[in-house]
Structures are given as C-alpha cells and as structure tokens.
Amino acid sequence: MTRRHSRWLAAFSACAVILPAGARLRAAPAEQTQPSAMVALITQLEGNDTSARRRLEILHGLSPNISSTDAAALLAFAVLPKPDGLPEVFWHAIFNDIFDLLLRMKNLPGGTDRELIRAAAGNPDPVLRDYALQKLGHLMRRSSLPDALRANALEAVKNSAGTAGRNMQGTALLTWQRLETGPASSEFRKAVMACLQSSEATEPARTAAFQAGSAAGMRETAPAARQALQNPRSVTPLKLSAMAALAVAGTKEDAALLRSFLSDNTCRPAAQAALSKLGL
C-alpha cells in the first residue's frame, strides 16, 4: 500500500459510521406519494349514510401533522362536486371538517387559501359558502397569507355582506367585524345598517348583524333593535340579539320595553343583562 493510499484510508476511517455487530445500513424512507389508507377511505367517490359517518369518524381522528400528500388529497376532495350517494348533510360536514383540519396545520397546504377564498366568493351551495366565510377570518389571521390573497379574501367577505336575502350575509358581517382593527370603519357600519334596514334580509342575517354591531359598539343600531323587539312576529334569536344591541346602544327610555320580556323564561336573562348594563 502506498503512502498516498494509507492517508486516504485513514481519512475515510475517521469519518465512517461504525455500526453495531449484525446491523445493516438502511435506505432513507421514501417520501409518501400516495394518500394513506385512512385518507383514501375519506376521499372515495361513492358513498352512503354508513360510509359518510365512517369518513367523519376518520376525519375527527386525524391530527394536523398529516403528510403533505394526505393534505393535498383531502383538499382536492373537498373542492369536488358532492359524490353520488353521499347525503348532502354529511357532505357539508365533511367539507367543513376538512378545511378545519387544513387550517390547523402549521404550514398551510398549497392551494388551501385560494380554494377557501373561491368557495367564500361564490360556491353555488349556500351552506358551503357560509362555512367558507366563517373560516376566512382564521385564514386572514395567518401572517403567511400573501397580500394579494388577503385582499381577495376581504373582498369576498364584503361582497357577501351585501348579499341581501341570504343567511350568509350575517355570517359575512360577523367575519368582517372580527377582522376590524380599532374603531369600526364607516364601510362596515353602513353594511350592518343596510342589513338591519333591508326588507329582504333574512332573520338569521339580521340576528347576526345585531351581534356584529354590538361587538363593534355601534350605537346606531338602537332604532332597529327597538323595532325588532316591538314586532310580535320577531323570532326569539332575533329578539335576544336586539336586546344585546340595546345593552350597548340603548338608553334609560328603553327600560319599559326591556322589562316587558322579564316574564318570558327564554328572554329574561338577556333582558336582565341589558337592564344591568344600562344601569336600570
């Protein structure tokens, strides 16, 4: 052996890994290229009540540490049309739970932001669009969201907040309010009042509008709240939200109106809370 070979062998030996007796070198694990068996069950394209329940059970058991391959498969499935045979109510739940899982992941899977914004902006299924609007607030709080997509998401919220006659109008107002920083903007205030004063707004949307206005400290909702409480046809959720609005925007002159609900077991706690906040 030459001196040069001796030096090379010594250098190689110094950096070699010493394995225990009987051990063998193993290749690095290959990156997952196909969805796991559990995710494959969730994303099968045919189903019924039984398979739908099983899909939801599996979904609820998944952690946000799933592989990027599994995440991509779930996202691709969630944006498909409803699979044949899968009941609509279960499809809605699966869509909701898939996006909940993806939004919990430390690194947002590629395309999740765009697909969620697209669903919030115009999914033809009003329930799925409503769910997407609810989740835009979580998406927009992620610092990694590009500015262009952040602007698209806010535009989807504002456009939906102006969609009279649909329950999603109220959902959009609540999401918008949670995104406001500092005092409520004039644009947001106008959107809330437009919903409360619209003859086309649904009761769920008006209920949410009162909640959004109260959270923003809007005193201009008081007249609409009084009108809702004086209307015998108002449903209970609307009356409860109107009382919460008066707790923020009312005056001592509202005492009699609020006390008229103390005999109603359902409305009594809200009426008492409003009276207390008004110092009555």
Side-chain angles (χ1 to χ4, degrees), residues 174 196 203-215 218 221-222 224-226 228-229 234-250 258 261 266-267 270-271 274 277:
L174 285 170
L196 292 177
E203 286 192 321
R206 293 177 64 216
T207 298
F210 277 128
Q211 294 169 358
S214 299
M218 289 177 55
T221 62
R226 295 181 188 113
L229 291 174
S234 293
V235 296
T236 297
L238 180 62
K239 290 188 288 188
L240 294 176
S241 290
M243 289 181 208
L246 280 187
V248 171
L258 290 168
F261 290 95
T266 303
C267 294
K277 287 186 178 181

Side-chain angles (χ1 to χ4, degrees), residues 140-249:
M140 293 177 70
R141 283 193 287 272
R142 296 183 76 112
S143 59
S144 59
L145 186 68
D147 290 343
L149 289 180
R150 191 177 302 278
N152 291 343
L154 185 57
E155 181 181 10
V157 170
K158 291 181 178 181
N159 288 342
S160 299
T163 308
R166 307 290 286 273
N167 292 348
M168 73 182 72
Q169 182 180 22
T171 302
L173 287 170
L174 285 170
T175 297
W176 189 352
Q177 187 277 319
R178 292 170 187 142
L179 295 172
E180 291 277 287
T181 56
S185 64
S186 60
E187 187 180 13
F188 169 75
R189 290 173 178 271
K190 289 177 182 177
V192 170
M193 295 310 300
C195 178
L196 292 177
Q197 295 168 351
S198 171
S199 59
E200 297 179 13
T202 66
E203 286 192 321
R206 293 177 64 216
T207 298
F210 277 128
Q211 294 169 358
S214 299
M218 289 177 55
R219 301 192 63 81
E220 57 265 46
T221 62
R226 295 181 188 113
Q227 186 177 19
L229 291 174
Q230 291 165 350
N231 186 347
R233 293 190 300 243
S234 293
V235 296
T236 297
L238 180 62
K239 290 188 288 188
L240 294 176
S241 290
M243 289 181 208
L246 280 187
V248 171

Side-chain angles (χ1 to χ4, degrees), residues 68-112:
S68 59
T69 301
D70 279 346
L74 289 171
L75 176 61
F77 181 66
V79 300
L80 289 174
K82 182 182 76 65
D84 291 338
L86 196 65
E88 191 172 61
V89 64
F90 286 111
W91 176 239
H92 292 161
I94 289 169
F95 174 96
N96 181 74
D97 290 356
I98 284 177
F99 275 104
D100 274 349
L101 175 65
L102 298 180
L103 288 170
R104 284 165 47 212
M105 295 182 68
K106 182 177 180 179
N107 296 314
L108 195 67
T112 302

